Amino acid sequence: MQLSTIRKNNKEAILDLLFRTPNLSKKKIAKDLNLSPSVISKLCNELIQEEKIRESNQIESKRAGRKEIGLVLNESYGYVIGLTINHFQTTIILTDLNRNPVEKLVIPTSDNSQTYFELLIKTLRELISHLQMSQRILGIGISIKGRTDGIYSYSGIWSHPQDVKHTLENQLNLPVIMDNGVRATALQAQFEKDLSNFAFIKYVNAGIGGALIENGIIKLGESHSIAEFGHMIVDPTREYCPICKRRGCLESIASIEELYREIRKELTPERFPILWNHIKENPDNLSMTQINLSVAEGSIELNRIFQKYAHYFALNLINFNTIVDRKHILLAGEIFHSKQFQIYLQGELASLQLVPLWEQIEFYHSYDENLSAVFLAINQLFLTLPV
């Protein structure tokens, strides 16, 4: 390996470590990365000169003698814009390198691509124009619903493929990094949980999806559709899914959208008395928070639906892990905030498979979905150095 490549890799490792754990001394960085103090000192000094990191506070220590100086990312080196695009809305967030929000906007996502991109570009230009000239924007990260190769959105939002990356790059003169919402959140989880190998499943309003992280790398597959957890078939007697074109995939029969539809079909005070009270007799107030509360308080009809959905989810989870074989499985989504849904899921897994799987599952509740696009941008535009 060439010396320039080794230096690049070591500097990236320093940035990555400080991104995960700020305010570390050079001595601690050298120990964590298993590199000599002299090498770390030289590389850190270069990164300080490049203004990518800066000195922080003295590090408290019980040892006598001179206190060590901590190092942190230079949060004012640049800013990133994150876009979270689903078929309902687009959330735009501007943050510094420590993921501290500076500005947040929401616009509707139109199924008319031309109308949508005109509004999006206009909104982004206005956002950028309000920034001071000294506030450098490193680029844009996009977390988008559906299948994407990082350039085109193929499904999930519009009826025809759309070149999202080049459309924005050409109009805004900024680099764009894009991936689907599940893989973007999996990357966020990788940083926050410090995991290298795991399966990630997201069960949210925008859909059901999966991702695989192997040795710290997000797997894509030849058509960028690996680990499509939500589009595995669980009931072939059902109708075709408009996205994957398969009969009875999990997302088409047990998504959060389908849950809302199933409830609204018979949403009356007689059928759902507990839920009716929580939504204050207004169906427009329906949300997962009210549904989870109603389940916890003993809604018979909602508990029946939750048990049915847990059965479908457990089927998929067992088949999925049979193929991917991961010892660590992260599940994200508001439905998993429900202890009752967790109980149903654990019971369904136990009834379908004698070998325990529950011990491999962890619920990932702490993330901010709108920051996943920011993680994409920072990872590629700051933590990864040019060759």
Side-chain angles (χ1 to χ4, degrees):
M1 186 181 293
Q2 295 181 348
L3 285 176
S4 60
T5 303
I6 294 173
R7 288 175 62 79
K8 173 182 177 295
N9 291 344
N10 288 339
K11 290 173 84 169
E12 287 178 348
I14 293 170
L15 292 173
D16 182 80
L17 184 61
L18 291 176
F19 183 68
R20 297 171 189 269
T21 313
N23 206 37
L24 298 178
S25 68
K26 292 178 182 178
K27 185 182 294 185
K28 182 68 166 67
I29 293 171
K31 181 180 178 181
D32 286 354
L33 298 182
N34 197 27
L35 293 170
S36 72
S38 61
V39 167
I40 289 299
S41 181
K42 185 174 182 180
L43 293 177
C44 285
N45 288 339
E46 289 180 9
L47 289 169
I48 290 173
Q49 290 177 357
E50 295 165 8
E51 299 184 342
K52 292 187 174 179
I53 66 174
R54 62 177 177 84
E55 292 184 340
S56 181
N57 303 322
Q58 290 184 337
I59 297 175
E60 294 297 325
S61 173
K62 295 180 180 179
R63 297 180 181 179
R66 183 181 176 185
K67 288 185 169 57
E68 295 178 280
I69 301 297
L71 295 173
V72 296
L73 296 184
N74 180 10
E75 67 277 3
S76 61
Y77 175 82
Y79 296 80
V80 297
I81 296 173
L83 307 181
T84 303
I85 306 175
N86 61 43
H87 55 302
F88 299 116
Q89 65 183 31
T90 296
T91 302
I92 303 168
I93 185 168
L94 174 73
T95 79
D96 63 20
L97 293 177
N98 285 329
R99 292 92 72 199
N100 296 312
V102 177
E103 191 75 47
K104 182 178 178 181
L105 304 166
V106 177
I107 63 171
T109 303
S110 171
D111 54 9
N112 183 316
S113 59
Q114 181 177 347
T115 301
Y116 171 74
F117 283 110
E118 286 175 355
L119 175 60
L120 177 61
I121 291 165
K122 178 177 179 289
T123 305
L124 290 172
R125 281 177 173 159
E126 290 175 352
L127 173 63
I128 294 167
S129 70
H130 290 160
L131 297 174
Q132 299 175 7
M133 293 301 293
S134 60
Q135 294 177 309
R136 170 174 49 181
I137 298 179
L138 302 182
I140 299 171
I142 301 178
S143 166
I144 192 166
K145 174 182 170 64
R147 186 166 68 89
T148 178
D149 59 2
I151 299 174
Y152 282 85
S153 169
Y154 290 102
S155 63
I157 308 287
W158 301 285
S159 57
H160 300 288
Q162 298 294 324
D163 186 343
V164 179
K165 178 181 173 69
H166 294 133
T167 298
L168 295 184
E169 286 183 338
N170 293 339
Q171 291 291 324
L172 301 169
N173 198 29
L174 288 171
V176 171
I177 309 298
M178 183 170 70
D179 209 334
N180 77 15
V182 183
R183 290 196 291 262
T185 311
L187 177 68
Q188 180 179 353
Q190 180 194 358
F191 279 111
E192 292 181 349
K193 307 292 289 186
D194 197 17
L195 295 171
S196 296
N197 294 280
F198 64 99
F200 181 81
I201 298 164
K202 194 173 175 183
Y203 196 170
V204 294
N205 287 15
I208 309 172
L212 292 177
I213 304 287
E214 187 174 295
N215 298 323
I217 305 296
I218 296 178
K219 309 300 286 183
L220 297 175
E222 293 185 356
S223 61
H224 296 265
S225 58
I226 194 171
E228 284 283 8
F229 185 88
H231 294 293
M232 296 169 61
I233 296 172
V234 292
D235 186 351
T237 67
R238 306 289 284 270
E239 292 301 316
Y240 287 100
C241 168
I243 296 174
C244 69
K245 316 301 182 186
R246 299 178 186 129
R247 278 190 177 276
C249 71
L250 181 66
E251 186 165 311
S252 66
I253 65 175
S255 65
I256 301 300
E257 274 193 271
E258 186 60 30
L259 173 65
Y260 286 176
R261 276 195 291 268
E262 189 168 350
I263 292 170
R264 284 192 171 111
K265 278 192 299 187
E266 300 184 63
L267 185 50
T268 62
E270 294 76 26
R271 188 80 169 180
F272 295 96
I274 298 174
L275 179 61
W276 189 257
N277 180 57
H278 277 299
I279 64 174
K280 303 186 186 306
E281 304 180 5
N282 184 356
D284 291 338
N285 293 332
L286 184 65
S287 72
M288 279 306 303
T289 300
Q290 281 84 18
I291 293 170
N292 284 344
L293 281 171
S294 301
V295 168
E297 292 175 15
S299 169
I300 295 173
E301 195 63 28
L302 285 177
N303 272 272
R304 181 189 63 79
I305 295 172
F306 262 32
Q307 187 163 20
K308 177 179 66 175
Y309 279 37
H311 172 74
Y312 287 133
F313 192 90
L315 278 174
N316 254 27
L317 189 57
I318 289 170
N319 291 333
F320 182 71
N321 202 53
T322 299
I323 298 168
V324 304
D325 187 24
R326 288 295 184 274
K327 292 182 179 179
H328 204 91
I329 303 169
L330 289 185
L331 303 183
E334 198 174 353
I335 194 169
F336 299 119
H337 293 194
S338 167
K339 292 295 182 183
Q340 196 61 40
F341 189 85
Q342 290 185 26
I343 290 169
Y344 288 139
L345 179 58
Q346 184 177 12
E348 291 294 330
L349 289 171
S351 71
L352 293 168
Q353 176 177 289
L354 297 178
V355 179
L357 181 61
W358 186 251
E359 292 77 6
Q360 297 167 227
I361 293 172
E362 179 181 348
F363 297 100
Y364 178 49
H365 295 320
S366 61
Y367 72 103
D368 180 346
E369 185 173 12
N370 294 320
L371 285 180
S372 59
V374 169
F375 275 85
L376 273 180
I378 293 175
N379 183 53
Q380 288 296 314
L381 302 173
F382 180 77
L383 300 179
T384 302
L385 302 177
V387 178

